[in-house]
Amino acid sequence: MQFGIFTVGDRTVDPTTGREPSEHERISAMVTIAQKVEEVGLDVFATGEHHNPPFVPSSPTTMLGYIAAKTRRIILSTATTLITTNDPVKIAEDYAMLQHLSEGRVDLVLGRGNTGPVYPWFGQDIRQGIPLALEKYALLRKLWREDVVNWQGQFRTPLQDFQSTPRPLAGVPPFVWHGSIRSPEIAEQAAFYGDGFFANHIFWPASHTQKMVGYYRERFEYYGHGSAEQAIVGLGGQVFMRKNSQDAVKEFRPYFDNAPVYGHGPSLEDFTEQTPLTVGSPQQIIDRTLGFRDYVGNYQRQLFLMDHAGLPLKTVLEQLDLLGEEVVPVLRREFAQNRSAAVPAGPTHASLVAEAAKTDAAAPASGSRTGAASGLSASAKLA
């Protein structure tokens, strides 16, 4: 299991002080948080991608490249790389460059985001969200896996004898997770290629996440990538903790009540009952998180959102200390118990290079079956 932090990089007024951090303060805080992730022994730091206030991370590779120079061990990832509005050529080159700079410590979560206006800002039509995701990722795969690409599609100009540069480190592209909250087409896409599936796991009840992950696992097996339990699954989640659960609830309540995403809606108590949000003691965080396995099976990556809704940096760093010292060591031990040897470990560049060396002479598994992939016609044609 890999454990880490993902951030959306929001600038939100602290409801207890009325103070809003500047863009510079928020960007600097994200770097500090990433360094703290490594310090406390976690495995992954992931940043979102947004192009509108109140968010600051418009350039994930710039931020992650800077963090790469300040860390040595953690995997640098994205909470969402906008596959629908970014150019696949630019994604291919930017993340390959980041691979080299970080010595392979990079992967990414591809998604469509949750900001509708971003589509026209980048010259796209939101009504084409799914076709854009399918076609653009098919091109991205080719750019990373073929030295010279000839390509023609619906959503960008054709490519003729094109080679993206630099090439992926050691000839192995970054691992790709496909992120989605509610779209089975994206779970299908992840399964079709044998990639990872990342469920946001914040706003929806456990039954919804169970259905999405279950569908992905079923289709992963159908496409011949391995058994359902060998599918690569990641989960998000949000927690807030203090030594005493009553103190945690009291401190977090004003942040929850005023959060731009879920504030002014259901009560904190209702939300924590109906969704995976967990507010309480370290033991409560442990118990709730271990329960995720009951409905998604053994999985590979657990990321927590801890710096949302105006929480001050000091508080976030205290949360990370508790996570690293009291929560994650127990989770590592407990998740390892009764875990089938067939379940893969979390992907790393080293593991992908080793796997590529074993299968170098074999035909690629992805795209071997195309006819029955509902919602993947564009992807199948372009694979």
Side-chain angles (χ1 to χ4, degrees):
M1 283 280 288
Q2 296 169 343
F3 295 92
I5 297 300
F6 73 104
T7 176
V8 295
D10 61 308
R11 288 174 59 227
T12 301
V13 173
D14 183 334
T16 67
T17 64
R19 187 179 184 279
E20 179 182 12
S22 68
E23 290 180 328
H24 181 74
E25 288 174 320
R26 190 65 175 97
I27 292 168
S28 297
M30 292 171 68
V31 173
T32 300
I33 290 167
Q35 293 175 282
K36 187 71 170 181
V37 166
E38 178 155 292
E39 177 190 320
V40 300
L42 304 184
D43 308 303
V44 183
F45 173 81
T47 175
E49 178 187 347
H50 297 275
H51 299 276
N52 58 293
F55 305 100
V56 297
S58 59
S59 181
T61 53
T62 304
M63 171 167 283
L64 294 177
Y66 183 76
I67 292 171
K70 291 182 168 290
T71 57
R72 291 292 177 267
R73 184 185 55 79
I74 55 172
I75 295 171
L76 307 168
S77 189
T78 57
T80 302
T81 296
L82 299 177
I83 185 65
T84 45
T85 50
N86 279 305
D87 182 1
V89 172
K90 191 62 173 155
I91 294 177
E93 295 187 333
D94 282 354
Y95 285 90
M97 178 67 78
L98 181 57
Q99 254 197 328
H100 285 272
L101 292 173
S102 65
E103 300 295 338
R105 295 184 293 122
V106 58
D107 60 30
L108 63 162
V109 176
L110 296 179
R112 291 173 293 145
N114 58 7
T115 305
V118 74
Y119 283 83
W121 293 341
F122 288 87
Q124 302 295 346
D125 183 347
I126 193 173
R127 294 170 294 183
Q128 298 295 320
I130 294 294
L132 280 163
L134 299 180
E135 179 180 295
K136 288 192 171 191
Y137 180 57
L139 174 56
L140 177 60
R141 283 184 67 89
K142 289 178 72 71
L143 291 165
W144 272 339
R145 287 166 172 81
E146 299 178 16
D147 286 340
V148 178
V149 171
N150 291 283
W151 179 90
Q152 184 170 352
Q154 179 182 354
F155 297 109
R156 80 174 315 280
T157 54
L159 296 173
Q160 184 173 359
D161 297 332
F162 179 78
Q163 181 174 15
S164 66
T165 181
R167 306 304 297 146
L169 179 64
V172 176
F175 186 80
V176 169
W177 307 78
H178 299 263
S180 181
I181 298 176
R182 60 187 179 274
S183 301
E185 296 94 338
I186 301 304
E188 179 86 12
Q189 183 185 37
F192 179 79
Y193 289 111
D195 295 334
F197 179 68
F198 189 88
N200 179 278
H201 202 227
I202 289 181
F203 305 115
W204 291 70
S207 58
H208 174 80
T209 301
Q210 182 180 32
K211 290 178 182 178
M212 288 287 287
V213 173
Y215 178 74
Y216 159 68
R217 289 187 183 278
E218 173 189 327
R219 302 301 286 174
F220 181 94
E221 183 171 304
Y222 171 81
Y223 287 119
H225 301 297
S227 66
E229 74 169 346
Q230 292 175 312
I232 308 298
V233 174
L235 295 183
Q238 184 174 7
V239 299
F240 186 87
M241 71 189 106
R242 288 302 187 194
K243 295 283 189 180
N244 180 286
S245 60
Q246 290 82 3
D247 291 339
V249 171
K250 181 180 179 181
E251 183 175 351
F252 188 67
R253 187 181 299 280
Y255 296 96
F256 175 88
D257 288 345
N258 293 280
V261 175
Y262 44 53
H264 311 290
S267 69
L268 175 59
E269 286 74 17
D270 287 344
F271 205 86
T272 52
E273 179 182 353
Q274 297 168 15
T275 78
L277 171 66
T278 311
V279 180
S281 67
Q283 188 60 51
Q284 287 174 301
I285 306 303
I286 291 168
D287 293 341
R288 188 77 178 278
T289 305
L290 289 174
F292 297 164
R293 183 169 57 178
D294 294 340
Y295 55 88
V296 302
N298 286 303
Y299 60 110
Q300 283 69 32
R301 179 173 291 184
Q302 175 65 58
L303 301 185
F304 297 102
L305 177 62
M306 304 193 83
D307 67 337
H308 178 56
L311 287 166
L313 178 60
K314 177 178 180 294
T315 300
V316 175
L317 298 179
E318 291 167 351
Q319 294 290 298
L320 288 172
D321 279 327
L322 287 170
L323 193 66
E325 294 168 5
E326 300 192 26
V327 174
V328 167
V330 179
L331 292 177
R332 289 194 197 279
R333 183 175 66 248
E334 294 296 322
F335 272 123
Q337 292 185 3
N338 302 318
R339 189 180 180 98
S340 167
V343 176
T348 65
H349 182 67
S351 70
L352 296 175
V353 169
E355 181 182 348
K358 291 179 182 178
T359 60
D360 207 25
S366 43
S368 58
R369 303 176 68 175
T370 58
S374 60
L376 262 184
S377 58
S379 185
K381 291 175 184 176
L382 294 166

